């Protein structure tokens, strides 16, 4: 199992490039199920979840070419001859976003069999809203032996009001409704940029969707969709992670190839903390202040402060002067990083959905463990300001959603290297040169 060895103390300086958004690429790949023509997706991030989705599509009979290079990160997916409309437990347990194939499969193949995801490190994460929505579109659903079995001769348009805002739920049902007979109206939808990106792709494929990016989406069903070429939006969470890392390390960093308008709530909050931010069309320059000021955050659905940035913000709060209250409203168990940050010297008290961070406390290197993707990112950036060496275990969590983060950070001055196993201290290569 890979580990990161990180030595803190270097400010991040230079330019760091953002990859394509994992959470936009995953539904886009699932959308390819809706047509028998090839779908070409560009700006696909080279992360483990994409490989997992590739395997899932291949197991169904899809042909998936996936290529990464200097100029292109591209996949071509052809679902001409799907034979097995199933997402098995082995895949779904490693990547919950696998449930995104449910809607497209039943819309195109008339049936689907998808494993129930079960809970995970950040919360219970049920998919009842996907199921209720599909039933509204005329799908018959049964649940047996941990699997959801869905079937419908032809989906019919319906009126769906989400009880709670759900990102992949909105995406799953939007995909299903494209091939339904008649109009579907969905209310209380997620307004995340990833939803709008998916709608953009589906419309290129011949769908008729309006309102994506607002709470009310209308979909006029069509009988078939065709192939398309689409460029995935930049990853706003990866961008935000680099922005925080620069602010925390006393850096001066340009985060390039991003979409600053997708980072609004985060950038506004960081300015309250004293961070200087300048953005243009596709990059953000971050200049850290001499001293960071504390500010409270409360996670919300887009355009509010993203839950996927909460852990990284907590790392920053440990180095801000004063107390910060961090309230997590989206997931019930998303503070696993707090105890690891405390091992590095942070003063954090967690009570239910709130964490009180008292800063500024010096951090020092420690052996810490990743528990989920964003928690891991927070530990990496905390280690960048900690005195001494941090050894971060279970970095496979970070590899799920960050493309070669250690290479990118090393390129702007961080001392971080990946090791396959811990070597005896004397034999270890100097940090930063591996
Ligand atoms: N929920 C339900 N029932 C449902 C669906 C959701 O109760 O049927 C609840 C969830 O338990 C949660 C809330 O609704 O409390 C919001 O969950 P949502 O469905 O929006 O989350 P998701 O679609 O499973 C996506 C991202 C997550 C991100 C959340 C929130 C993808 C592939 N995943 O998950 O990303 O945290 O939205 O913004 O898009 C990550 O990248 O690290 C990550 C976890």
């Amino acid at each position: 199992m890979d580990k990161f060895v990180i030595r803190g103390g270097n400010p991040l300086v230079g330019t760091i490039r953002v990859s394509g958004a994992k959470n936009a690429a995953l539904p886009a790949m699932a959308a390819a199920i809706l047509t028998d023509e090839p779908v070409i997706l560009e700006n696909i991030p080279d992360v483990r979840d994409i490989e997992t989705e590739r395997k899932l599509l291949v197991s169904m009979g899809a042909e998936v070419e996936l290529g990464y290079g200097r100029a292109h990160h591209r996949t071509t997916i052809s679902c001409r001859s799907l034979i097995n409309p199933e997402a098995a437990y082995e895949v779904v347990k490693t990547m919950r976003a696998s449930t995104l194939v449910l809607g497209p499969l039943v819309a195109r193949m008339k049936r689907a069999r998808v494993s129930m995801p079960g809970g995970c490190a950040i919360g219970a994460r049920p998919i009842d809203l996907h199921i209720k929505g599909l039933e509204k579109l005329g799908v018959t659903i049964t649940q047996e032996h941990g699997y959801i079995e869905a079937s419908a001769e032809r989906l019919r348009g319906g009126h769906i009001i989400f009880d709670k805002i759900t990102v992949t739920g909105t995406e799953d049902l939007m995909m299903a409704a494209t091939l339904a007979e008649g109009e579907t109206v969905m209310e209380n939808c997620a307004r995340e940029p990833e939803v709008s990106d998916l709608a953009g792709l589906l419309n290129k494929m011949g769908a008729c969707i309006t309102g994506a990016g607002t709470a009310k989406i209308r979909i006029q069903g069509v009988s078939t969709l065709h192939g398309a070429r689409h460029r995935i939006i930049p990853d706003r969470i990866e961008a935000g992670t680099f922005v925080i890392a620069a602010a925390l390390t006393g850096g001066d960093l340009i985060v390039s190839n991003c979409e600053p308008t997708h980072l609004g709530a985060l950038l506004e909050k960081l300015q309250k903390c004293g961070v200087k931010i300048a953005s243009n069309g596709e990059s953000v320059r971050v200049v850290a202040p001499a001293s960071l000021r504390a500010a409270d955050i409360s996670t919300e659905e887009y355009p509010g402060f993203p839950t996927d940035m909460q852990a990284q913000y907590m790392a920053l709060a440990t180095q801000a002067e004063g107390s910060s209250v961090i309230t997590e409203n989206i997931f019930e168990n998303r503070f696993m990083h707090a105890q690891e940050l405390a091992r590095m010297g942070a003063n954090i008290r967690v009570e239910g959905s709130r964490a009180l961070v008292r800063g500024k406390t010096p951090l020092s290197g420690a052996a810490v463990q990743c528990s989920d993707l964003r928690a891991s990112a927070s530990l990496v950036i905390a280690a960048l300001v900690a005195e001494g060496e941090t050894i971060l275990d279970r970095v496979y969590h970070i590899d799920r959603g960050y493309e070669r983060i250690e290479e990118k950070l090393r390129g702007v001055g961080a001392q971080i290297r990946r090791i396959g196993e811990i070597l005896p201290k004397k034999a270890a290569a100097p940090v930063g040169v591996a």
Side-chain angles (χ1 to χ4, degrees):
M1 243 190 278
D2 286 3
K3 297 176 169 47
F4 282 162
V5 180
I6 303 168
R7 183 169 286 279
N10 290 15
L12 300 189
V13 177
T15 300
I16 196 163
R17 193 181 156 84
V18 173
S19 299
K22 163 185 83 85
N23 288 349
L26 292 173
M29 290 174 78
I33 293 172
L34 292 163
T35 173
D36 60 5
E37 292 182 9
V39 172
I40 301 168
L41 301 171
E42 292 166 352
N43 204 27
I44 289 283
D46 185 3
V47 298
R48 224 164 47 109
D49 274 7
I50 296 295
E51 176 56 17
T52 306
E53 179 133 354
R54 185 191 69 80
K55 285 190 184 143
L56 174 61
L57 292 171
V58 167
S59 75
M60 295 171 181
E63 288 166 34
V64 186
E65 280 171 32
L66 189 52
Y68 298 111
R70 256 188 181 283
H72 297 292
H73 277 36
R74 182 158 60 196
T75 183
T76 303
I77 305 170
S78 169
C79 292
R80 194 158 33 103
S81 42
L82 288 185
I83 40 167
N84 177 31
E86 173 165 329
Y89 175 68
E90 285 64 38
V91 188
V92 179
K93 78 170 184 214
T94 62
M95 191 182 71
R96 305 175 54 83
S98 313
T99 51
L100 278 166
V101 299
L102 181 59
L105 276 178
V106 70
R108 162 96 190 278
M109 307 268 295
K110 305 186 186 350
R111 64 195 178 92
R113 186 165 185 269
V114 173
S115 171
M116 287 290 291
C120 77
I122 62 176
R125 304 184 75 185
I127 55 161
D128 55 311
L129 303 175
H130 299 231
I131 294 172
K132 267 196 212 166
L134 285 172
E135 284 173 340
K136 281 266 161 77
L137 300 182
V139 178
T140 304
I141 306 247
T142 54
Q143 293 184 40
E144 266 176 44
H145 304 296
Y147 276 80
I148 299 159
E149 311 244 359
S151 61
E153 230 4 79
R154 169 109 199 249
L155 275 63
R156 52 174 152 69
H159 189 186
I160 297 166
I161 304 175
F162 290 104
D163 297 340
K164 195 171 179 178
I165 296 175
T166 160
V167 178
T168 50
T170 302
E171 293 165 346
D172 199 12
L173 293 165
M174 187 165 74
M175 288 189 278
T178 57
L179 290 181
E181 202 175 329
E183 185 183 64
T184 297
V185 178
M186 305 200 304
E187 295 191 60
N188 200 25
C189 295
R191 292 179 286 162
E192 267 66 1
E194 292 77 15
V195 173
S196 307
D197 197 42
L198 176 65
L201 165 65
L202 292 167
N203 282 341
K204 285 180 195 166
M205 292 167 67
C208 193
I209 302 171
T210 53
T214 74
K216 188 168 182 172
I217 301 179
R218 280 179 192 276
I219 304 138
Q220 290 293 343
V222 294
S223 53
T224 52
L225 293 177
H226 53 74
R229 177 188 287 262
H230 182 73
R231 187 171 175 83
I232 298 294
I233 53 170
D235 195 313
R236 63 194 167 98
I237 306 301
E238 187 197 22
T241 303
F242 295 148
V243 167
I244 287 191
L248 189 59
T249 57
D252 181 347
L253 190 69
I254 294 174
V255 179
S256 73
N257 197 41
C258 67
E259 177 47 71
T261 58
H262 293 168
L263 297 168
L266 171 70
L267 298 183
E268 207 174 289
K269 191 57 74 173
L270 291 179
Q271 281 169 327
K272 289 213 171 98
C273 298
V275 182
K276 290 201 177 62
I277 308 272
S279 52
N280 67 23
E282 57 170 38
S283 70
V284 175
R285 180 173 173 198
V286 190
V287 181
S291 152
L292 288 161
R293 289 191 296 273
D296 299 346
I297 60 157
S298 191
T299 63
E300 285 165 26
E301 296 86 359
Y302 190 85
F305 193 98
T307 173
D308 289 345
M309 287 304 306
Q310 177 261 106
Q312 302 89 316
Y313 185 85
M314 188 182 282
L316 178 111
T318 68
Q319 300 308 296
E321 299 292 344
S323 296
S324 314
V325 178
I326 296 181
T327 308
E328 172 56 55
N329 294 310
I330 308 295
F331 292 110
E332 61 271 29
N333 187 30
R334 210 174 195 183
F335 282 140
M336 303 279 274
H337 42 284
Q339 68 193 40
E340 298 302 289
L341 289 170
R343 287 156 66 82
M344 298 172 76
N347 181 341
I348 305 171
R349 205 176 71 226
V350 174
E351 276 173 17
S353 62
R354 278 149 60 107
L356 175 67
V357 185
R358 289 206 168 86
K360 151 185 190 179
T361 51
L363 299 182
S364 50
V368 288
Q369 289 223 356
C370 301
S371 53
D372 68 79
L373 176 56
R374 308 304 171 186
S376 322
S378 86
L379 298 178
V380 168
I381 58 184
L384 295 176
V385 285
E387 192 177 332
E389 195 171 271
T390 296
I391 296 178
L392 193 64
D393 202 355
R394 303 191 178 176
V395 300
Y396 58 83
H397 285 292
I398 210 160
D399 291 334
R400 289 187 53 188
Y402 287 87
E403 179 171 324
R404 287 190 285 277
I405 191 170
E406 75 281 20
E407 285 176 27
K408 289 193 183 188
L409 290 174
R410 213 156 48 221
V412 290
Q415 292 194 68
I416 172 169
R417 68 190 166 96
R418 179 186 293 262
I419 54 172
E421 59 181 56
I422 299 277
L423 301 171
K425 229 184 165 77
K426 271 191 223 147
V431 169
V433 297

